[in-house]
Amino acid sequence: MATNSLHGSSFLTRPLLFALIVVLVMPETAASASVTHHYTFDIRLQNVTRLCRTKSIPTVNGQFPGPKIIVREGDRIIVKVVNHIKDNVTFHWHGIRQLRSQWADGPSYVTQCPIQTGRSYVYNFTIVGQRGTLWWHAHASWLRVTLYGPLIILPKLGVSYPFPQPYKEVPIMLGEWFNADPEAVVAQALQTGAGPNVSDAYTVNGLPGPTYNCSAKDTFKLRVKPGRTYLLRIINAALNDELFFSIANHTLTVVEADANYVKPFSTSTLLVSPGQTTNVLLSAAPSVPAASAFLISASPYTTARPGTFDNTTVSALLEYQPYNKNLPLVKPTLPLFNDTQTVSNFTAKFRSLNPPVVPREVDRRFFFAVGLGTSPCPRNHTCQGPNGTKFAASINNISFVLPTTALLQAHYSMKTMGVFTTDLPYEPWHEFNYTGTLPNNTFVTFGTKTVMLPYNTSVELVMQGTSIQGAESHPLHLHGHNFYVVGQGFGNYDPENDPIRFNLVDPVQRNTVGVPSAGWVAIRFRADNPGVWLMHCHLDVHLSWGLTMAWVVNDGRLPSQKLPPPPSDLPKC
Ligand code: C2O
């Protein structure tokens, strides 16, 4: 029959025939073009000097920030991590879906036991259906503060960007620098129950720049030619701070968020939350302007009390070539640290570029109240958290406790007893005015509770910020999936009226979204990736306090829909 139709062209129109040929030929070319990239990450201490102090920090191969990984869609990445430091470590490839490579996702005690001192583990995964700016970071305790780097996925060979080809591409990694040892900072915070000491500086590509004492020599410089367009791949790798970002006298065009193309829009200020990436086009002025340089600056956004966060501004320099140092330096105006209105105006502008496939039908609805809380001070202790308690954080009042073995291993071997349960409440036990009058008791309950989902479940999740112990914005990150941001608002979510305004036409697709301070956000995703996937606040202090949970996505029926067996070198606990 097929032969008949091919010859008797009455059944096949020319475009159809062409499409058939493309379908037959394409997979071949795509397969032959894909490349395997091998890396070795030696995790070792390295002396690094910032703000005139030299300290020994965990690094990848002695580099800070870590090495760039640049690949193409369809390529395979193989990273052998060898741990030479005293702390346990793991690595996460933030935003990579890990289809059929679930054991390479990396969060410690979730998809794997950590890599112990002197041990190694090979992360082996293929980039399927993704291109754009992502990043990699350590995923154990607070080690990601120095163990991070860009993971850039170029389109397949021969495929161009949906915007004019930039003259150059530059990763801009925003980070956070502590003079103290961050592991000591988190250990002390968890011990005393108090909020942790804050960082001493923010950094651009590892450099604090001229706004800090003794730091002008450690300044990142972006040198541009007049009339050229640059693609900045901005990554917020800071530990605990959402950051505003602006370049003096330059408007930026946002083209991508979390490795998903968006409808281009221009802005003078961005907000990038930890875990998020934003690609912007920077058009250099047509001729050398009358300034020696323009500051590229970032400063925190938070609704927390002053004194509880690092309220400094970091700067790098945008210099035109030829450079004239005798001209003035121009600074941008950044919003006030608590300018929530600017944040919500900005986040409302994101739209998917191509009409996406948003799940229309929802199989399961969840309502998660996310925020801070407290736990009682243990006997014979003095605690320095709110009213002599300890700070905690929770989802539906459950503060997540990491197990001592990996969740994915327990799930795979069906030995989940005593490791985790699947009874995380779908909504809070007691309804309350989440953003208004607060319950008297702010104590959380501790547990390793997850939600189990059948393969391919279409999920709608409303995340409601609470004002318990102060309303704060929470950048929630989902592992193993992208999601659509279909709605957001301030105050309490209204299940009657808010869904009417959901955007199911062109919502942005992301892997990390801010739950607005004293507000809510609604997302949809399809649980099409069997495994155990962490979802957590990407502010590490909140993660340490328990603002996290895991989705257990069961196998589907087809072999390709099943969790593969663990690699033989998977670390043991
Ligand atoms: Cu970038 Cu679980 O994190």
Side-chain angles (χ1 to χ4, degrees), residues 274-330:
Q276 293 185 327
T277 61
T278 312
N279 280 7
V280 301
L281 295 172
L282 165 72
S283 297
S287 54
V288 180
S292 68
F294 299 90
L295 286 189
I296 303 171
S297 299
S299 65
Y301 161 63
T302 177
T303 54
R305 270 185 302 111
T308 63
F309 61 93
D310 177 353
N311 197 5
T312 63
T313 299
V314 62
S315 293
L317 297 179
L318 172 69
E319 288 180 358
Y320 277 77
Q321 316 267 278
Y323 178 65
N324 182 345
K325 75 166 186 332
N326 299 316
L327 294 173
L329 189 74
V330 189

Side-chain angles (χ1 to χ4, degrees), residues 92-95 105-107 135-139 144 274-276 477-479 511-512 534-538 540 543 548:
H92 171 51
W93 319 91
H94 181 114
D105 190 43
W135 59 302
W136 55 264
H137 63 78
H139 211 304
R144 75 174 179 84
Q276 293 185 327
H477 169 53
L478 175 60
H479 284 227
N511 63 55
T512 306
L534 202 61
M535 189 177 81
H536 61 91
C537 181
H538 218 288
D540 269 22
L543 173 57
T548 174

Side-chain angles (χ1 to χ4, degrees), residues 41 50 60 63-70 91-95 132-138 143-152 169-177 201-209 212 218-222 231-239 241-245 247 270 272-280 296-299 314-317 538:
F41 278 16
R50 293 289 185 275
V60 171
Q63 288 171 252
F64 171 73
K68 291 187 190 74
I69 292 185
I70 304 178
F91 280 84
H92 171 51
W93 319 91
H94 181 114
T133 304
L134 293 172
W135 59 302
W136 55 264
H137 63 78
L143 292 174
R144 75 174 179 84
V145 69
T146 59
L147 295 171
Y148 64 86
L151 200 174
I152 293 164
E169 305 186 359
V170 186
I172 303 281
M173 296 207 82
L174 307 174
E176 211 161 350
W177 179 264
Y202 297 107
T203 54
V204 175
N205 293 337
L207 302 169
Y212 299 99
D218 298 318
T219 301
F220 177 72
K221 290 182 181 156
L222 175 61
L231 178 67
L232 308 185
R233 299 174 175 274
I234 304 166
I235 301 164
N236 186 345
L239 205 63
D241 295 87
E242 303 188 74
L243 293 166
F244 288 118
F245 177 93
I247 305 181
L270 312 175
V272 192
S273 300
Q276 293 185 327
T277 61
T278 312
N279 280 7
V280 301
I296 303 171
S297 299
S299 65
V314 62
S315 293
L317 297 179
H538 218 288

Side-chain angles (χ1 to χ4, degrees), residues 47 56 87 92 105 118 157 203 216 247 295 324 349-350 353 452 473 486 528 533 543 547 560:
N47 278 346
S56 176
D87 302 282
H92 171 51
D105 190 43
L157 263 184
T203 54
I247 305 181
L295 286 189
N324 182 345
K349 289 185 185 165
F350 285 82
L353 179 64
M452 190 170 263
S473 158
V486 297
D528 59 358
W533 305 106
L543 173 57
L547 212 172
S560 66

Side-chain angles (χ1 to χ4, degrees), residues 227-529:
R228 303 285 193 182
T229 299
Y230 296 78
L231 178 67
L232 308 185
R233 299 174 175 274
I234 304 166
I235 301 164
N236 186 345
L239 205 63
N240 291 322
D241 295 87
E242 303 188 74
L243 293 166
F244 288 118
F245 177 93
S246 188
I247 305 181
N249 290 17
H250 288 74
T251 302
L252 304 168
T253 304
V254 176
V255 293
E256 188 200 292
D258 295 359
N260 292 288
Y261 294 128
V262 298
K263 293 194 175 112
F265 66 91
S266 60
T267 186
S268 56
T269 304
L270 312 175
L271 177 82
V272 192
S273 300
Q276 293 185 327
T277 61
T278 312
N279 280 7
V280 301
L281 295 172
L282 165 72
S283 297
S287 54
V288 180
S292 68
F294 299 90
L295 286 189
I296 303 171
S297 299
S299 65
Y301 161 63
T302 177
T303 54
R305 270 185 302 111
T308 63
F309 61 93
D310 177 353
N311 197 5
T312 63
T313 299
V314 62
S315 293
L317 297 179
L318 172 69
E319 288 180 358
Y320 277 77
Q321 316 267 278
Y323 178 65
N324 182 345
K325 75 166 186 332
N326 299 316
L327 294 173
L329 189 74
V330 189
K331 296 179 180 178
T333 320
L334 285 157
L336 287 178
F337 73 86
N338 58 0
D339 188 349
T340 298
Q341 197 55 52
T342 293
V343 172
S344 79
N345 293 347
F346 173 72
T347 53
K349 289 185 185 165
F350 285 82
R351 296 275 185 278
S352 277
L353 179 64
N354 300 311
V357 204
V358 189
R360 292 274 154 172
E361 267 102 72
V362 172
D363 301 321
R364 295 226 185 142
R365 290 199 152 76
F366 298 87
F367 182 81
F368 286 176
V370 304
L372 306 184
T374 55
S375 71
C377 194
R379 268 167 183 272
N380 307 324
H381 257 66
T382 40
C383 295
Q384 292 160 18
N387 299 318
T389 62
K390 295 178 99 170
F391 264 118
S394 68
I395 294 177
N396 285 348
N397 212 44
I398 307 295
S399 182
F400 193 83
V401 178
L402 277 180
T404 49
T405 178
L407 299 177
L408 189 61
Q409 279 174 285
H411 169 65
Y412 178 78
S413 57
M414 297 191 288
K415 289 182 186 139
T416 59
M417 263 260 266
V419 181
F420 69 89
T421 56
T422 55
D423 58 347
L424 182 72
Y426 284 22
E427 55 185 30
W429 279 316
H430 309 287
E431 216 180 299
F432 61 97
N433 182 358
Y434 305 102
T435 55
T437 322
L438 300 168
N440 300 330
N441 179 352
T442 67
F443 287 156
V444 299
T445 305
F446 291 94
T448 309
K449 293 184 187 293
T450 68
V451 171
M452 190 170 263
L453 296 171
Y455 178 78
N456 229 17
T457 304
S458 151
V459 174
E460 181 178 286
L461 166 64
V462 174
M463 291 183 279
Q464 171 73 59
T466 78
S467 298
I468 299 173
Q469 298 304 335
E472 284 187 35
S473 158
H474 299 281
L476 261 289
H477 169 53
L478 175 60
H479 284 227
H481 301 76
N482 282 322
F483 49 75
Y484 294 101
V485 183
V486 297
Q488 59 173 36
F490 289 115
N492 296 337
Y493 173 71
D494 175 351
E496 297 293 319
N497 296 305
D498 286 326
I500 302 164
R501 289 193 298 273
F502 281 177
N503 175 9
L504 304 179
V505 177
D506 59 358
V508 67
Q509 216 182 346
R510 314 202 64 133
N511 63 55
T512 306
V513 68
V515 178
S517 181
W520 56 272
V521 65
I523 65 171
R524 284 192 186 179
F525 66 95
R526 193 170 284 286
D528 59 358
N529 196 0

